Amino acid sequence: MRPMPDTPGASVEPAAAPTSKTAPLSSTSGAAPVSPLLAAWALALLLGLQPIATDLYLPGLPMLTREFGASMAAAMQTMAALILAFGLAQLVWGPVADRIGRRPVLLLGLTLFGAATLGCALVPNIEALVALRALQGAGVAAAVVCARAMLRDLYEPLDGARVMSIALTGLGFIALVGPPLGGAITALWGWRASFVASALCAVAVLTFIARAIPETLARKNVDATRIAPLLRNWRRIAAHPSFQAWAALIAATYGGLFTLLAGSAFVYMDVLGLSAAAYGLALASCSLAYITGTFFCRRWMARHGLARGVAIGARFTLAGGVAIVVLALLGVHSIWAVLLPQWLYCFGHGIHQPVGQSAVVGPFPQHAGAASALAGFVLSAVAFGVGLWLGQALDGTVMPLALGVGFWAVLTSAVAWGLVPRAERRTRAESIGPA
């Protein structure tokens, strides 16, 4: 791999073809060695803070709305504030992590998340809760940006995808237990207790990172936070075909997942008549489908490589999207007509997300923080847009949910079968060209 200069306006060069051996890059880059298992644990915990920030408190949302006498629109702002802050803060944390290192940003972000979460348990009104949720989003953004950047510090994209798939298996288990745990905590001690539990999780993750994870950035980029070079680097990153392809993949597959998460409660409970407990089990089954996808992801990456692996995953994604739309159009409005396609989609998501999260920063070893931030901002913008659309589209039927999932399934498959292979061919051609 040709090193990228750390001078202002340095060009963004493509990564070399991925290696087949799972080995830290410390042997060539000088990054601190971290075992794949330890790296996977760290990634799972850091990425898991985002579902912890949402899943534990969601069961208490109606309760806190009643306590504050707030409207449902005001209550929904507690989600919007977190999403917006999460997306925007990544644009700040990414360059800062390239400038001063991953550990300082991680420790600061985790501290901010923990303090803001504890503050959420003490708020006197809904307005204060919205403000503190924004601070939560900013803290989580630091964890997610640094997690992706650390992965690029340590591993080539193919090896990174394998480590990420292990991490996202752990993330799947966090998503599996989050909603029922939040419901139990809320039922026993009220909605404020769910934030106390989230704060304790933040303290545990902060302690683990502080004790177990060294600095992984081998060479700091002193120009990373200068506005002019930063804008030039973002422009070059955004123009890189590999970034465009992988960022589009993770944004599209997450768009469908967020459609399911944001709209499924209404469809399952209000349209199809499930109880809250049964709805929780339905979500848990989808988490299991996602976890299964991450296991297959590791096998298919080793056997087929990145592009071919996501192409195979797109078959399941498209099957789920087409099935839910066709069944809805045929008037089959049953639980299984939604749940079975949702399993297929979540299985495909368990393949696309680990690969995409690793590959999107692959060509930018010296600007991994900036690339991670830009990709995260795109993903958050998509999620925010989906939430706005669902707020207007939900109409008491399954059709909005079905059409939304179908749209994102088609888009994800088009990216996996079109943009990704073209970008990979171009990257390989550039990597073996003249130095």
Side-chain angles (χ1 to χ4, degrees):
M1 178 183 297
R2 291 173 288 180
M4 297 179 60
D6 276 336
T7 55
S11 61
V12 176
E13 299 186 24
T19 62
S20 60
K21 296 172 65 178
T22 305
L25 294 183
S26 56
S27 58
T28 57
S29 69
V34 178
S35 71
L37 184 59
L38 180 60
W41 268 104
L43 290 172
L45 292 174
L46 292 172
L47 297 175
L49 288 177
Q50 187 179 7
I52 286 173
T54 56
D55 293 355
L56 288 184
Y57 108 108
L58 278 178
L61 189 57
M63 186 183 299
L64 70 88
T65 302
R66 290 192 298 269
E67 179 176 325
F68 291 138
S71 66
M72 183 55 67
M76 288 298 101
Q77 290 179 11
T78 63
M79 285 293 293
L82 185 140
I83 293 172
L84 280 177
F86 176 71
L88 292 172
Q90 291 184 66
L91 298 177
V92 177
W93 291 124
V96 172
D98 286 338
R99 173 64 181 86
I100 68 174
R102 318 305 185 201
R103 266 181 65 88
V105 172
L106 270 177
L107 298 179
L108 177 60
L110 291 171
T111 301
L112 174 62
F113 174 74
T117 303
L118 186 59
C120 288
L122 306 173
V123 292
N125 52 57
I126 194 73
E127 292 79 13
L129 181 60
V130 170
L132 286 169
R133 289 284 287 172
L135 290 179
Q136 273 190 305
V140 170
V144 172
V145 163
C146 289
R148 288 195 295 255
M150 287 165 57
L151 190 70
R152 185 59 187 93
D153 294 340
L154 297 166
Y155 303 102
E156 294 286 358
L158 179 59
D159 298 332
R162 294 170 184 160
V163 174
M164 180 63 85
S165 70
I166 299 172
L168 292 188
T169 300
L171 177 61
F173 282 107
I174 293 174
L176 181 66
V177 303
L181 179 61
I185 291 173
T186 301
L188 290 172
W189 299 296
W191 66 268
R192 295 180 187 272
S194 66
F195 285 111
V196 174
S198 296
L200 292 175
C201 291
V203 171
V205 175
L206 174 61
T207 302
F208 172 78
I209 294 297
R211 292 184 175 182
I213 304 300
E215 178 59 63
T216 60
L217 182 62
R219 185 174 59 175
K220 297 177 175 64
N221 182 355
V222 297
D223 296 313
T225 54
R226 292 178 55 194
I227 298 300
L230 176 60
L231 293 177
R232 284 196 294 269
N233 282 327
W234 271 342
R235 184 169 60 250
R236 292 186 179 95
I237 291 169
H240 197 286
S242 182
F243 176 86
Q244 292 174 352
W246 293 112
L249 182 74
I250 61 175
T253 185
Y254 189 74
L257 182 70
F258 194 80
T259 301
L260 289 167
L261 293 176
S264 62
F266 172 81
V267 170
Y268 278 117
M269 299 174 68
D270 292 348
V271 179
L272 300 178
L274 283 186
S275 66
Y279 169 63
L281 291 176
L283 280 188
S285 70
C286 294
S287 294
L288 288 175
Y290 167 78
I291 292 170
T292 304
T294 65
F295 280 111
F296 277 88
C297 175
R298 293 195 288 277
R299 296 181 60 183
W300 290 344
M301 292 311 103
R303 183 179 303 173
H304 303 294
L306 302 182
R308 179 59 179 162
V310 297
I312 296 172
R315 300 173 186 174
F316 297 90
T317 300
L318 187 61
V322 170
I324 195 172
V325 171
V326 170
L327 290 171
L329 290 174
L330 291 176
V332 184
H333 297 162
S334 69
I335 294 170
W336 293 107
V338 178
L339 190 58
L340 290 176
Q342 191 170 345
W343 286 348
L344 289 172
Y345 191 95
C346 290
F347 179 88
H349 185 72
I351 296 166
H352 294 139
Q353 201 67 8
V355 178
Q357 292 277 8
S358 173
V360 75
V361 297
F364 319 108
Q366 297 302 321
H367 301 279
S372 173
L374 196 57
F377 175 76
V378 172
L379 188 148
S380 297
V382 167
F384 185 71
V386 167
L388 292 179
W389 174 77
L390 279 173
Q392 300 297 320
L394 290 173
D395 59 359
T397 72
V398 301
M399 283 306 302
L401 180 71
L403 292 176
V405 174
F407 169 80
W408 291 111
V410 170
L411 187 58
T412 301
S413 302
V415 173
W417 293 334
L419 283 182
V420 167
R422 284 200 295 271
E424 289 294 285
R425 286 193 295 269
R426 180 170 175 178
T427 297
R428 284 196 298 269
E430 290 176 349
S431 68
I432 62 177

